[in-house]
């Protein structure tokens, strides 16, 4: 049978609220106590279906759960003479406009069909039958006490054997308690999932914070400062500063990376970039080749529409030169102490993970005179909003750096954060804040 129309007119749906038989009432009370207990996955479905078949003398039973977001019904469990119980039935979702189950869900009312062959709403692809051939089917909506539609319970048995008024009364009571139990079980599962996610986020945050350098390098004639403040429990930003030889005159590798998005996924991505950078430096890879290999690996690992902007550079304190590639990371501020002026630099290559780094321009250089500062910030600084309107922007960053002359790298970074927080004036942080400040001492350090 398909979804074809009837050969005869279906009988009216009964709404008779007959009193429950005493044996059925006692069994329902016992069932209610069992439904209130926590259950293993699938156990609650089995309990409801077994109770429905037992209390209603049905040969088959099925549960269809309602998904409000997708506005769909999905069979999740079935038990009967034809098919044994399955934790999940591999059946496609169906519209609540199809079949007796759909009509039951849409109308939120019990539907009692003495014979499916005479009801136009019956659809073989959606509804159960009584084990083959003609069948009586009873469909009852599972509606929780807050009026949330949880799903539909269907039971069936072969004709003859129509469900009577007392069966309907039992089904309504059973459905009410089953709906509440299923809703409670879902809330329990969601609560446990939230707890697990919080534990996982705490672990991810601990890992992410743990890979940040505990102490920044202090190359001769320079001070460095850095911070990372996540908008959520885990952030998509990271920084690093790595000696490339013996302190204090060896070069220092610098990393500032910002993954698209927030949460655990971006946090793992930027930690991966940091790990690949450190391994590459230990193996003696050149800056260009190192970035090319990182980009190639991210192209394989990241999903569509994901990418990482990154500044990867090398500060040489002997030559007073910062050599770098900026893969989509910008703007970059080089503040010249004499004369006092802000010089802005854009990205030198596309973000990592997109591909095409082979087409990047040659490495760029910043030559640092005494007192010069380089400020590397993720876009959370520049795009910070205020309740009065507007964004923090480049000009405010440059003004804070100008006003903090002589404070050193940490003083400049602290002043920048104070000014940013005052500008935000309590506005919730919407993006991660990560920055590195490199400051050359005003006076040359004699060796």
């Amino acid at each position: 049978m398909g979804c074809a129309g009837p050969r005869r007119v279906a009988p009216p749906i009964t709404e008779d609220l007959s009193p429950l038989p005493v044996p059925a009432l006692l069994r329902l009370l016992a069932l209610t106590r069992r439904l209130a207990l926590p259950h293993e996955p699938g156990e609650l479905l089995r309990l409801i279906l077994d109770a429905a078949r037992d209390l209603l003398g049905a040969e088959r039973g099925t549960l269809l759960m309602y998904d409000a977001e997708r506005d769909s019904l999905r069979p999740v469990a079935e038990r009967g003479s034809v098919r044994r119980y399955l934790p999940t039935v591999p059946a496609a979702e169906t519209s609540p406009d199809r079949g007796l189950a759909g009509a039951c869900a849409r109308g939120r009312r019990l539907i009692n069909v003495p014979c499916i062959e005479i009801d136009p709403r019956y659809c073989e692809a959606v509804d159960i039958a009584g084990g083959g051939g003609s069948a009586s089917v009873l469909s009852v909506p599972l509606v929780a006490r807050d009026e949330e539609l949880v799903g539909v319970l269907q039971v069936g048995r072969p004709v003859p054997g129509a469900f009577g008024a007392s069966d309907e009364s039992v089904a309504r009571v059973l459905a009410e308690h089953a709906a509440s139990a299923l809703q409670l079980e879902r809330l329990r599962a969601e609560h446990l999932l939230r707890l697990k996610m919080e534990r996982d986020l705490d672990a991810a945050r601990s890992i992410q914070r743990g890979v940040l350098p505990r102490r920044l390098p202090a190359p001769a004639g320079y001070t460095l400062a850095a911070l990372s403040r996540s908008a959520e429990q885990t952030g998509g930003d990271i920084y690093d500063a790595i000696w490339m030889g013996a302190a204090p005159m060896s070069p220092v590798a610098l990393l500032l990376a910002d993954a698209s998005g927030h949460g655990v996924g971006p946090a793992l991505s930027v930690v991966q970039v940091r790990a690949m950078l450190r391994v590459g430096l230990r193996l003696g890879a050149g800056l260009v080749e190192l970035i090319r290999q990182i980009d190639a690996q991210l192209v394989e690992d990241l999903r569509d529409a994901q990418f990482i902007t990154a500044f990867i550079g090398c500060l040489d304190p002997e030559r007073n030169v910062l050599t770098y590639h900026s893969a989509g990371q910008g703007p970059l501020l080089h503040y010249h102490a004499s004369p006092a002026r802000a010089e802005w630099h854009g990205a030198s290559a596309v973000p990592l993970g997109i591909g095409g780094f082979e087409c990047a321009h040659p490495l760029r250089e910043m030559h640092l005179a005494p007192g010069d500062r380089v400020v590397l910030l993720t876009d959370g600084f520049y795009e910070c909003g205020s309740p009065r309107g507007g964004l923090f922007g480049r000009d405010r960053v440059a003004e804070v750096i100008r006003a903090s002359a002589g404070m050193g790298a940490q003083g400049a970074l602290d002043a920048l954060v104070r000014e940013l927080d005052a500008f935000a004036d309590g506005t919730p942080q919407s993006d991660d804040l990560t920055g590195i400040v490199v400051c050359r001492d005003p006076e040359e350090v004699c060796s």
Side-chain angles (χ1 to χ4, degrees):
M1 288 176 286
C3 300
R7 288 191 288 273
R8 298 192 300 276
V9 178
I13 299 170
T14 177
E15 295 290 350
D16 184 10
L17 299 177
S18 302
L20 297 179
V22 173
L25 179 59
L26 294 175
R27 285 148 69 193
L28 276 171
L29 289 174
L31 174 66
T32 300
R33 290 193 293 271
R34 294 183 63 192
L35 289 175
L37 300 173
H39 298 86
E40 294 295 324
E43 182 184 350
L44 181 61
L45 303 177
R46 181 184 300 109
L47 178 62
I48 293 171
L49 286 177
D50 283 346
R53 293 176 63 225
D54 176 48
L55 288 165
L56 298 170
E59 188 170 285
R60 299 187 66 189
T62 189
L63 271 172
L64 300 95
M65 301 301 290
Y66 178 67
D67 186 333
E69 291 186 3
R70 302 169 67 92
D71 189 29
S72 66
L73 288 170
R74 180 171 60 89
V76 295
E78 182 173 330
R79 195 156 190 159
S81 58
V82 177
R83 298 177 67 178
R84 64 177 187 171
Y85 169 81
L86 298 170
T88 56
V89 174
E93 295 177 335
T94 185
S95 165
D97 296 318
R98 299 183 66 200
L100 294 169
C104 176
R106 281 282 188 243
R108 296 194 178 201
R109 59 186 301 205
L110 180 146
I111 297 177
N112 187 356
V113 177
C115 181
I116 57 176
E117 292 183 334
I118 62 173
D119 196 294
R121 294 165 297 183
Y122 175 75
C123 182
E124 186 178 23
V126 177
D127 300 308
I128 65 168
S134 299
S136 300
V137 173
L138 186 63
S139 305
V140 56
L142 303 179
V143 181
R145 288 176 182 158
D146 59 0
E147 299 303 316
E148 178 189 0
L149 178 64
V150 177
V152 173
L153 171 65
Q154 279 192 332
V155 289
R157 57 192 179 196
V159 172
F163 294 98
S166 62
D167 294 321
E168 294 180 7
S169 297
V170 170
R172 287 191 177 94
V173 176
L174 172 61
E176 179 182 344
H177 291 291
S180 296
L182 288 168
Q183 184 186 56
L184 181 60
E185 196 71 13
R186 189 194 69 209
L187 292 175
R188 283 196 188 106
E190 290 175 354
H191 176 66
L192 292 175
L193 180 60
R194 281 195 299 270
L195 291 178
K196 182 180 183 302
M197 289 180 64
E198 288 173 3
R199 289 195 297 268
D200 290 346
L201 285 171
D202 287 342
R205 178 180 177 83
S206 178
I207 293 171
Q208 186 180 28
R209 302 301 298 182
V211 301
L212 296 176
R214 293 180 177 84
R215 184 176 179 180
L216 292 173
Y222 288 84
T223 59
L224 273 64
L227 72 78
S228 185
R229 196 168 81 186
S230 302
E232 299 178 2
Q233 282 181 281
T234 56
D237 292 1
I238 203 168
Y239 70 85
D240 205 354
I242 312 147
W243 284 114
M244 299 175 67
M249 294 304 296
S250 75
V252 173
L254 299 174
L255 167 69
L256 182 76
D258 181 0
S260 56
H262 304 283
V264 175
L268 293 175
S269 296
V270 292
V271 169
Q272 178 187 4
V273 170
R274 178 255 184 198
M276 289 189 290
L277 175 65
R278 283 188 168 247
V279 170
L281 291 174
R282 289 182 179 180
L283 295 175
L287 203 60
V288 174
E289 181 60 24
L290 180 54
I291 301 173
R292 181 179 291 115
Q293 293 300 328
I294 292 174
D295 176 63
Q297 188 62 54
L298 292 175
V299 169
E300 292 185 15
D301 294 344
L302 297 181
R303 294 177 302 208
D304 292 341
Q306 290 185 317
F307 58 87
I308 295 175
T309 61
F311 175 97
I312 301 178
C314 174
L315 173 65
D316 187 339
E318 285 194 309
R319 298 174 53 234
N320 296 306
V321 173
L322 177 58
T323 305
Y324 70 92
H325 249 318
S326 178
Q329 184 64 51
L332 316 173
L333 173 58
H334 179 185
Y335 194 86
H336 297 267
S338 180
R341 66 183 179 92
E343 181 182 8
W344 294 96
H345 300 274
S348 59
V350 296
L352 302 176
I354 295 177
F357 187 81
E358 293 79 3
C359 303
H361 297 290
L363 289 170
R364 294 182 179 181
E365 292 184 345
M366 294 185 199
H367 295 263
L368 279 68
D372 281 8
R373 279 165 286 176
V374 175
V375 181
L376 312 173
L377 304 172
T378 57
D379 53 11
F381 279 90
Y382 298 107
E383 296 174 4
C384 174
S386 166
R388 295 175 294 277
L391 302 177
F392 194 68
R394 298 193 331 179
D395 292 343
R396 286 187 177 85
V397 171
E399 177 56 28
V400 172
I401 297 303
R402 183 200 65 77
S404 61
M407 294 184 181
Q410 190 63 56
L413 187 57
D414 290 343
L416 187 60
V417 172
R418 285 195 302 271
E419 189 67 24
L420 183 85
D421 289 340
F423 177 80
D425 193 19
T427 301
Q429 183 179 329
S430 61
D431 200 357
D432 303 327
L433 301 173
T434 303
I436 300 175
V437 175
V438 177
C439 181
R440 183 177 175 190
D441 294 342
E443 300 276 340
E444 290 283 357
V445 177
C446 298
S447 56

